[in-house]
Amino acid sequence: MNEYDSHKMADVLRACDGMVQTDKPEDADVILFNTCSIREKAEEKVFSDLGRVRTLKLLKPNLLIGVGGCVASQEGSAILKRAPYVDVVFGPQTLHRLPKLLQARRTSGLSQVDISFPEIEKFDQLTASVPHYAENSASISGAAYVSIMEGCSKYCTFCVVPYTRGEEVSRPFADVMREVGALMSQGVKEVTLLGQNVNAYRGMGDDGDTVDFAYLLKSIAALDGIERLRYTTSHPRDMSQRLIDLYATQPKLVSHLHLPVQSGSDRILAAMKRGHTVLEYKSIIRRIRTARPDICITSDFIVGFPGETEQDFEATMKLIDEVGFDNSFSYLYSPRPGTPAAELHDDTPQEIKVARLNRLQGCIEQLEARIAHSMLGTVQRALVEGVSKKNSNELAARTDNNRIVNFSGRPEMIGDFVAVKITEVVRHTLRGKLE
Ligand code: SAM
């Protein structure tokens, strides 16, 4: 989502102010930080990065520095107290106002702060930026992101998202379809639908009625030029049977689902206010696997939530074993200011939490390796995304189940689907040969 927002910032500045992107901070007239506040470390990093660009401002007084994203949303004008040389503070919902904010800063000489939630206004403004997708590497690779909803109304006790991005707001169905259509005409073959709880999508349909996520997926899948569909990140409470059934009927929907569970203990899930039990989560997985037997499931885990006992953690390990997760985003619990869990008593020593996290990650890595080895010798349909990061003589493609496979191929293949035979497992990636 942040990557998508960063592209959008570049788009609005290009469209309104004719700015061009540069990779060299010393060449820039404007430097923007797109921040994340999901965990404390990400937040601290912003202030240390800001300290580094401050020296550039001493050399180039007209340089403008902006802070956007969720840290900006959470801290607002407090950022100016800690870093008074910052010129503009804007939230995830006001990034489309960037040209105006920069202009106001230039004319008034005063730092500008706008972290309001004008809801759908952002989407309305951003739809206009579609033609500039062609300049994004995202579309050249044949794959693009489309944001379809923002925010979260679940209020899990550990999470800042409802406070920093606001409650769930969905884009109207016609707007999403228009954006996908524009991408398709630029050669995009795979779209990833984005949202904090993407499957909570409830957009206004063409006749004024509300349409759900399954309806949207089905409608996009009906477009001839779109060959593959992904979405991230979903919430177990919004995995409707209509959505699960699509895995049986809609081959364009990939065989990979990222479904955050956080913990395998009912006691912890209740304390997190997740709104489902372990059994309910397993029931979703069972129904999805009935519809799509080869699907790879990945998840998010929080280790060391306040009050997590050894027994709770063992329950998480048991769930991991039962589901056979393919990968995870797993982190230690990080208390976030203003969230209910930050007030909870937490007496688990840090070293125990770290040991638990290492054990969990080690276990998931083993499962990941097992799945990778089971792919050896198979022929995968993969979308070529670009040149391999490891070896510039090779190409990198993404398989249906979200694995990167590196192989020898011609640069003209970038943006196309190819058939690759998997020949080798290399840690987190695969190697293959064109079929
Ligand atoms: N749809 C997702 C869900 O089901 O919760 C929301 C994804 S959330 C924006 C991203 C992930 O960040 C969460 O799944 C969680 O694992 C992690 N996260 C959020 N708050 C956290 C915290 N306070 N400490 C550690 N991890 C956190």
Side-chain angles (χ1 to χ4, degrees), residues 38-39 158-159 161 196-197 233-236 260 262 274 300 302 332-334 336:
I38 204 89
R39 283 174 295 274
F158 53 81
C159 191
V161 170
Q196 267 77 34
N197 289 312
T233 174
S234 45
H235 195 291
Q262 319 297 354
R274 291 290 291 171
D300 291 351
I302 295 180
L332 291 181
Y333 165 71
S334 168
R336 304 288 56 226

Side-chain angles (χ1 to χ4, degrees), residues 52-313:
R52 275 193 276 121
V53 294
R54 185 187 187 175
T55 48
L56 288 177
K57 196 154 175 158
L58 297 175
L59 301 170
K60 195 173 174 182
N62 287 338
L63 170 67
L64 296 183
I65 299 175
V67 180
C70 290
V71 174
S73 181
Q74 190 176 285
E75 302 292 318
S77 43
I79 291 185
L80 300 178
K81 288 210 180 86
R82 199 164 155 187
Y85 49 88
V86 168
D87 300 285
V88 173
V89 176
F90 58 101
Q93 310 301 357
T94 49
L95 65 89
H96 59 285
R97 294 181 180 168
L98 255 177
K100 274 192 193 148
L101 289 167
L102 292 170
Q103 188 53 33
R105 166 65 185 85
R106 283 190 199 102
T107 48
S108 70
L110 299 172
S111 295
Q112 304 290 312
V113 179
D114 184 353
I115 50 165
S116 56
F117 293 157
E119 296 205 338
I120 210 75
E121 181 190 302
K122 169 182 167 186
F123 286 138
D124 286 350
Q125 300 290 321
L126 295 182
T127 312
S129 73
V130 164
H132 299 280
Y133 265 114
E135 292 167 46
N136 283 347
S137 57
S139 69
I140 295 164
S141 72
Y145 292 129
V146 176
S147 178
I148 63 161
M149 62 82 68
E150 276 265 343
C152 181
S153 309
K154 305 287 191 285
Y155 292 93
C156 296
T157 57
F158 53 81
C159 191
V160 284
V161 170
Y163 314 102
T164 56
R165 284 196 181 252
E167 294 224 336
E168 288 163 4
V169 184
S170 297
R171 281 176 82 175
F173 172 74
D175 282 5
V176 176
M177 294 304 287
R178 205 174 305 126
E179 183 163 348
V180 174
L183 289 167
M184 214 169 69
S185 65
Q186 290 166 29
V188 167
K189 297 184 177 114
E190 172 182 306
V191 291
T192 301
L193 302 179
L194 291 181
Q196 267 77 34
N197 289 312
V198 72
N199 54 342
Y201 177 81
R202 301 275 182 282
M204 191 181 62
D206 291 338
D207 53 7
D209 283 356
T210 304
V211 301
D212 69 358
F213 187 57
Y215 181 88
L216 178 67
L217 281 176
K218 234 196 265 183
S219 308
I220 298 176
L223 301 172
D224 278 345
I226 298 298
E227 296 182 45
R228 221 161 58 167
L229 264 174
R230 301 182 183 277
Y231 60 87
T232 195
T233 174
S234 45
H235 195 291
R237 269 166 63 188
D238 296 308
M239 282 314 290
S240 68
Q241 191 57 45
R242 276 167 55 78
L243 173 54
I244 293 172
D245 289 345
L246 279 187
Y247 284 92
T249 57
Q250 191 39 259
K252 288 187 184 179
L253 202 51
V254 293
S255 287
H256 168 233
L257 171 67
H258 185 74
L259 192 61
V261 66
Q262 319 297 354
S263 168
S265 152
D266 279 339
R267 211 177 65 82
I268 296 295
L269 288 178
M272 290 176 165
K273 212 166 128 312
R274 291 290 291 171
H276 64 84
T277 61
V278 176
L279 195 62
E280 281 161 339
Y281 184 87
K282 287 199 290 192
S283 152
I284 296 170
I285 302 295
R286 183 179 43 75
R287 283 178 284 140
I288 289 174
R289 285 206 164 126
T290 305
R292 182 73 67 86
D294 66 346
I295 197 162
C296 283
I297 310 283
T298 57
S299 194
D300 291 351
F301 293 92
I302 295 180
V303 173
F305 185 80
E308 181 191 76
T309 61
E310 208 52 45
Q311 213 178 351
D312 293 319
F313 178 68

